[in-house]
Amino acid sequence: MTALRVDARCHCGAVHIRATLPEGLQDVARCDCSFCRRRGAAAVTALAADLEVVKGAENLTLYSFGTHTAQHHFCKTCGIYTHITGGGPTRRNAGSIWAVSTGSIRAITSRSAGRTG
């Protein structure tokens, strides 16, 4: 598997992150915790060392609950979920495995994923 470098942004453009996905888009997953089930967003694995907030770190807010292992980051302006720190959708190696919301990755659209509706 070839790693994939991606740019991800919130809707308003205030937050821009860059990450390397070690498995490319092959490990897209949905976490089954109570928060992620309601949010419905899929995420893809990124290593902590390979995720960088390029712009807008001051515009991020976070939500965590329960054990507070995973921290869900959102843009304060538009509310878009951009990434998770402290754990990814599979919750393995929580300190080193983070995740990027597939909805914020610029190269992914519903059309590129084969959906047009």
Side-chain angles (χ1 to χ4, degrees):
M1 173 53 48
T2 302
L4 178 65
R5 187 83 170 149
V6 296
D7 284 311
R9 292 194 168 102
C10 65
H11 187 259
C12 71
V15 176
H16 174 193
I17 63 175
R18 190 170 290 137
T20 299
L21 312 177
E23 301 294 322
L25 299 174
Q26 298 303 309
D27 69 344
V28 173
R30 290 186 191 272
C31 177
D32 65 352
C33 76
S34 60
F35 178 69
C36 290
R37 279 195 322 269
R38 287 171 179 82
R39 186 172 44 86
V44 64
T45 300
L47 299 177
D50 294 328
L51 190 145
E52 170 191 12
V53 178
V54 176
K55 174 185 168 191
E58 71 285 350
N59 209 54
L60 285 169
T61 191
L62 67 91
Y63 176 75
S64 66
F65 66 99
T67 64
H68 302 285
T69 300
Q71 298 180 339
H72 303 267
H73 296 261
F74 298 84
C75 173
K76 289 180 186 178
T77 303
C78 65
I80 294 297
Y81 158 66
T82 56
H83 65 291
I84 302 167
T85 57
T90 60
R91 297 188 192 120
R92 60 182 182 203
N93 302 320
S96 61
I97 303 293
W98 291 2
V100 178
S101 167
T102 57
S104 67
I105 298 174
R106 296 186 63 161
I108 298 175
T109 66
S110 59
R111 290 187 183 182
S112 68
R115 294 180 207 97
T116 57

